Amino acid sequence: MNRPSYRRLGVDERRRQLLERGAELFTSHPYDELSMSKIAAEVGISKALLYHYFPSKQAYFEETLSAWAEQLRERTEPDPDLPPIEQLKGSLDAFLALVEENAIAYKNLIRSAAGVTEIRELIDEVRLKTAQRILEALYAQEPPPKARTAISGWLWFMDGACLNWIEHRDIERTELRDLLLGVLMGALLAADAVPDLA
Amino acid sequence: MNRPSYRRLGVDERRRQLLERGAELFTSHPYDELSMSKIAAEVGISKALLYHYFPSKQAYFEETLSAWAEQLRERTEPDPDLPPIEQLKGSLDAFLALVEENAIAYKNLIRSAAGVTEIRELIDEVRLKTAQRILEALYAQEPPPKARTAISGWLWFMDGACLNWIEHRDIERTELRDLLLGVLMGALLAADAVPDLA
DNA sequence: TTGCTTGTTGACCGTCGGTTGATAACCGTA
DNA sequence: TACGGTTATCAACCGACGGTCAACAAGCAA
């Protein structure tokens, strides 16, 4: 008689669909311009169902981007057999490639997603871990305050430069990579904290 | 008979009060944690009156900070009689002093910046103008792309380093200033774009 | 056909930024 | 002292947000 008024999917299938569509939407629109209602409408379900599968908008966002984060972690993992400088160079290349591939997503991420406390903490954590990775590679012991400040600033430099790069697209990726490397060295030099690299 | 249920102030007086209290509130709390209702309650008026004096929350916020912005502009205005390097040094000193004096406000500003569109645009504009000012001082013509990217990144570096500085407070202001100067030079060097300064 | 499981929904809540028409405080005047 | 006009002020409202909940119905097993 009556056709069903909605299609009933298995939990796994629905979940997969929501993560997939969510990734598409969240990477192509700023976080705060996407309401849960809009997402639900876009997918063709009710908002309540979204909240049945994810406890909050933030959590949904996080899960949605977890695949992306995993890729970031993997691809920027340095080759331990190489000398420190080369490790850094490789990681930077990988990072910039990822940014270039996902320019819009990166832009939206930096520009808007960080405003949500939990997400910002996530990004801060990535930055902090990256800083630690670099500092550990460069120093045996506790790094001096100026070096720590310099590295912290440099990571911000990276985001700023990447945004500018994406915006204008008038320099090569390798140029940007060398710029970033050079600035890092310059920063450590200016911090009177150039470690032994040779 | 009946005591008046509210006090009626002159436009100028009320306006001054709202700007004053607004400045206090906006510099001591993150932007998105302050609702217009809360502000109104805090001041002891209705929300509608707030909107009678200011067209929007953003505009209110901006006007509230305009005195601060004016101070920033004035105090960082370089002395044109000095050589470029000294101009920059002076501006940096002034900027860092201002940040140190208003550490909490600065922190709130930068932190809310990521997520709140209005603030982000405000800061982006300041960044852009500052970058232009620096580039104009350094180059006669249109700056090369790499230099532009480097400057843009450096401004982000500054914010990141300032936040780290405020957070830890374990280096001197002059040290940070020299670090920033050194990094700027390093960045321009890495961008193959060191201008004539001597 | 019935009944059970559970995926799914419409209606609701409090709060947000923002709007509007009525109200009442204050001042000039008589 | 009373009154009338100006306008500073407010209560009530709006649509949209993130989030919640009891109830419905799709699909399978009997």
Side-chain angles (χ1 to χ4, degrees), chain A residues 32-33 110-116 120 124 127 145-146 148-165 168-171 175-176 178-183 186-188 190-191, chain B residues 32 110-117 120 124 127 145-146 148-165 168-171 175-176 178-183 186-188 190-191:
Chain A
D32 47 355
E33 283 178 17
I110 295 294
R111 307 213 89 159
S112 70
V116 184
R120 195 188 58 221
D124 276 356
R127 273 208 198 125
K146 277 209 280 191
R148 188 210 59 231
T149 306
I151 297 293
S152 178
W154 180 75
L155 289 169
W156 283 68
F157 185 108
M158 206 163 65
D159 284 327
C162 282
L163 282 179
N164 199 276
W165 175 48
H168 292 86
R169 290 203 173 280
D170 55 4
I171 66 177
E175 284 184 304
L176 179 56
D178 291 337
L179 174 61
L180 288 170
L181 267 177
V183 168
L188 292 174
Chain B
D32 47 355
I110 297 294
R111 297 240 105 156
S112 347
V116 185
T117 313
R120 200 196 62 221
D124 274 357
R127 272 209 252 268
K146 276 208 282 190
R148 189 210 59 232
T149 307
I151 298 289
S152 179
W154 180 75
L155 291 167
W156 282 69
F157 185 107
M158 208 163 64
D159 284 329
C162 282
L163 281 179
N164 200 275
W165 175 48
H168 292 87
R169 291 203 174 280
D170 55 3
I171 67 177
E175 285 183 305
L176 179 56
D178 291 337
L179 174 60
L180 288 170
L181 266 178
V183 168
L188 292 175

Side-chain angles (χ1 to χ4, degrees), chain B residues 6 19 61 82 89 111 117 141 155:
Chain B
Y6 59 85
L19 283 174
F61 177 76
L82 267 40
K89 202 170 189 172
R111 297 240 105 156
T117 313
Q141 313 91 337
L155 291 167

Side-chain angles (χ1 to χ4, degrees), chain B residues 91-132:
Chain B
S91 290
L92 267 181
D93 264 329
F95 176 75
L96 293 179
L98 203 59
V99 168
E100 197 168 26
E101 286 167 26
N102 306 280
I104 297 176
Y106 175 77
K107 202 165 166 179
N108 284 327
L109 197 68
I110 297 294
R111 297 240 105 156
S112 347
V116 185
T117 313
E118 298 86 7
I119 299 186
R120 200 196 62 221
E121 284 169 358
L122 203 86
I123 291 191
D124 274 357
E125 199 193 310
V126 172
R127 272 209 252 268
L128 198 64
K129 284 216 169 119
T130 310
Q132 283 172 350

